[in-house]
């Protein structure tokens, strides 16, 4: 694959982006080291549009552009299901978890777990979260960003990883969450606008008329795979994706053995991986905890929910476009087809992005790394400082000491993330598969204890630890079983494995509580479940229809369910 040449206009575009990003980072981070609340929660002053924009920026990174375009080429529209399921998760968080967490006035999720289950659960979750932040999120994002930059411009991969890590993480060191959130808003606009522009150019190139809608319907029709080489491509790829009948590229409801999102895992993925990622993941939920009030937190998340609903237009549709453009990839060796699909984003840029806009592409790639790495670094520093350093090393730490340790922890997190990204670059597994497999391993035990603890007042630390220990043991056994013995095809999708693990973890949590009942030392006695916070659930819902959380939430729910129904065999049956 050849590298992209840069025109003077491209460098000007990228320079303007860097100046804007640095200006926003500098002004938003001034004075944010005065107190730990400023550094880790932006002084709880974030407005709804910053909460929503930075949430999207932290959530959508290079692995979406690089990984999901390739996955959509191979599998069709089904990766959209993950984005739409996230919209449903966000609605759960808006109506159930936001008022509960904000009323608790916590800085980190482990702090809540300490009040609910005791210090043992807090320590376990804090350690695993730090490890997950570095090995799952920072490593994959830095590697994917470095890989894309290296592929596009021919720069050495090692220096691309190191450079993006230092530049992106440096802003978290400087200004904490405030800088992460405000620069995240800027990068969200750049990412969505830049990749959206690429999608528009690609759609215009799909038909002789050059019309965007004509191009869209042409892409949909070719992805049906009903004639010519596209039919051959679907027939060739189908056996690799399911053993349960003909494959439907235009359905998000897939058989139980589908490798990415089988229908059997949809609900369980929402309540396990979805809730862990959206409500317990510090680098995601931290900007919610930093919101001005409950309404700003809820409405910010509503913006994020609509963004996730629309996101398939720029990360899934390009994969479908690539299938219309290059169905021949599917007709060769399967592993070669997967590698060609992983390079799909690069291919689309080379074929459709006109000269003079490649500086915008470089800005998009930097934005994708910047937002996620900055957020993860600040979240990791918060946990290392407030959940490990303070309770274990210096319980009487002053605000100045907490901020100083937070800065040091941020630098350590950046270095560790860069090192792990270099390690990941030496592996052969795909970026998206790497992340999802680890997510499915980590999420079920903590999501289970979170749900049981919120709904059942008797839940205690013994139950929480039973969920953690039992959950990781079950997850390891499931993985080992699939390696040692030949299992049915439905056994292997990580979504199904996560579902089984989550159900068992709920049982472990209940059993552990019943076997060792009573309060765990350090547990709070009151206001520990959703039932204790009924008044808070009704706060911050908006006074007018245009500020109503119920109105916008109901509309998002209807649109999401309608989209899931439309992209199914009801409207696109297999021919």
């Amino acid at each position: 694959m050849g590298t992209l040449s840069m025109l003077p206009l491209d460098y000007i575009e990228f320079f303007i982006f860097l100046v804007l990003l640095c200006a926003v980072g500098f002004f938003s981070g001034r004075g944010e080291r005065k107190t730990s609340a400023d550094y880790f929660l932006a002084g709880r002053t974030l407005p709804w549009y910053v909460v929503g924009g930075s949430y999207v920026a932290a959530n959508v990174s290079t692995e979406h552009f690089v990984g999901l375009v390739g996955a959509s080429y191979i599998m069709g529209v089904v990766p959209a299901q993950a984005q739409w399921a996230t919209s449903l998760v966000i609605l759960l968080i808006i109506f159930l978890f936001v008022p509960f967490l904000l009323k608790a006035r916590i800085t980190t999720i482990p702090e809540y777990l300490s009040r609910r289950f005791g210090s043992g659960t807090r320590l376990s979750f804090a350690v695993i979260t730090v490890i997950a932040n570095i090995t799952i999120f920072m490593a994959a994002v830095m590697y994917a960003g470095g890989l894309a930059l290296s592929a596009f411009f021919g720069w050495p991969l090692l220096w691309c990883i190191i450079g993006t890590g230092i530049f992106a993480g440096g802003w978290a060191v400087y200004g904490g969450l405030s800088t992460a959130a405000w620069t995240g808003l800027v990068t969200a606009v750049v990412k969505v606008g830049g990749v959206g522009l690429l999608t528009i150019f690609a759609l215009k190139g799909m038909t002789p008329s050059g019309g965007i809608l004509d191009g869209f319907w042409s892409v949909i029709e070719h992805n049906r795979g009903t004639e010519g080489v596209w039919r051959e491509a679907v027939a060739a790829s189908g056996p690799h994706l399911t053993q349960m009948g003909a494959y439907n590229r235009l359905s998000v409801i897939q058989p139980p053995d589908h490798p990415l999102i089988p229908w059997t895992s949809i609900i369980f993925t929402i309540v396990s991986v979805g809730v862990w990622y959206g409500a317990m993941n510090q680098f995601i939920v931290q900007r919610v905890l930093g919101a001005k009030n409950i309404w700003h937190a809820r409405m910010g998340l509503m913006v994020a929910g609509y963004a996730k609903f629309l996101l398939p237009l720029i990360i899934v549709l390009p994969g479908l476009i690539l299938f219309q453009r290059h169905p021949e990839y599917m007709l060769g060796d399967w592993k070669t087809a997967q590698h060609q699909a992983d390079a799909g984003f690069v291919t689309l840029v080379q074929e459709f992005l006109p000269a003079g806009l490649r500086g915008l592409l470089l800005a998009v790639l930097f934005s994708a790394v910047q937002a996620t790495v900055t957020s993860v670094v600040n979240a990791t520093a918060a946990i290392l400082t407030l959940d490990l350093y303070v309770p274990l090393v210096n319980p009487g730490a002053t605000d100045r000491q907490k901020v100083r340790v937070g800065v040091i922890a941020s630098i350590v997190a950046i270095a560790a993330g860069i090192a792990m990204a270099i390690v990941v670059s030496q592996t052969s597994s795909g970026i998206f598969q790497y992340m999802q497999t680890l997510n499915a391993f980590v999420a079920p035990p903590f999501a289970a204890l979170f749900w049981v603890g919120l709904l059942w007042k008797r839940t205690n630390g013994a139950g929480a630890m039973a969920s953690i220990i039992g959950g990781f043991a079950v997850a390891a056994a499931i993985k080992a079983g699939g390696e040692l013995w030949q299992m049915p095809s439905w056994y292997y999708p990580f979504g199904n494995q996560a579902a089984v693990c989550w159900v068992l973890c709920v049982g472990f949590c209940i059993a552990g509580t019943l076997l060792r009942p009573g309060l765990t030392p350090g547990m709070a006695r009151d206001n520990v479940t959703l039932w204790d916070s009924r008044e808070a659930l009704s706060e911050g819902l908006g006074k007018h229809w245009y500020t109503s959380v119920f109105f916008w939430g109901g509309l998002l729910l209807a649109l999401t369910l309608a989209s899931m129904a439309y992209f199914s065999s009801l409207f696109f049956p297999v021919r």
Side-chain angles (χ1 to χ4, degrees), residues 104 173 212 228 277 296 319 370-371 417 455:
V173 176
I212 296 174
Y277 186 84
H296 280 273
Q370 160 78 28
L455 297 175

Side-chain angles (χ1 to χ4, degrees), residues 388-510:
L388 295 176
Y389 167 75
V390 171
L392 298 180
V393 179
N394 188 3
T398 64
D399 261 348
R400 184 178 294 274
Q401 289 174 317
K402 292 176 185 177
V403 172
R404 185 183 304 119
V405 171
V407 170
I408 296 171
S410 297
I411 296 171
V412 171
I414 294 168
I418 290 172
M420 191 62 199
I422 295 172
V423 172
V424 172
S425 71
Q426 306 302 314
T427 66
S428 58
S429 59
I431 299 167
F432 189 70
Q433 188 75 15
Y434 165 83
M435 292 187 69
Q436 294 304 316
T437 300
L438 290 179
N439 282 342
F441 188 88
V442 172
F446 293 108
L449 67 89
F450 191 63
W451 274 111
V452 178
L454 284 174
L455 297 175
W456 189 35
K457 193 166 188 175
R458 290 178 59 187
T459 313
N460 60 18
M465 294 306 297
S467 177
I468 296 170
I469 296 171
F472 283 117
V474 167
I478 290 175
K479 296 292 183 185
E483 295 292 331
L484 296 174
W485 298 286
Q486 183 63 40
M487 297 294 186
S489 58
W490 55 261
Y491 181 93
Y492 291 95
F494 56 78
N496 288 342
Q497 294 180 352
V500 171
C501 189
W502 181 81
V503 170
L504 291 175
C505 286
V506 169
F508 293 149
C509 191
I510 294 172

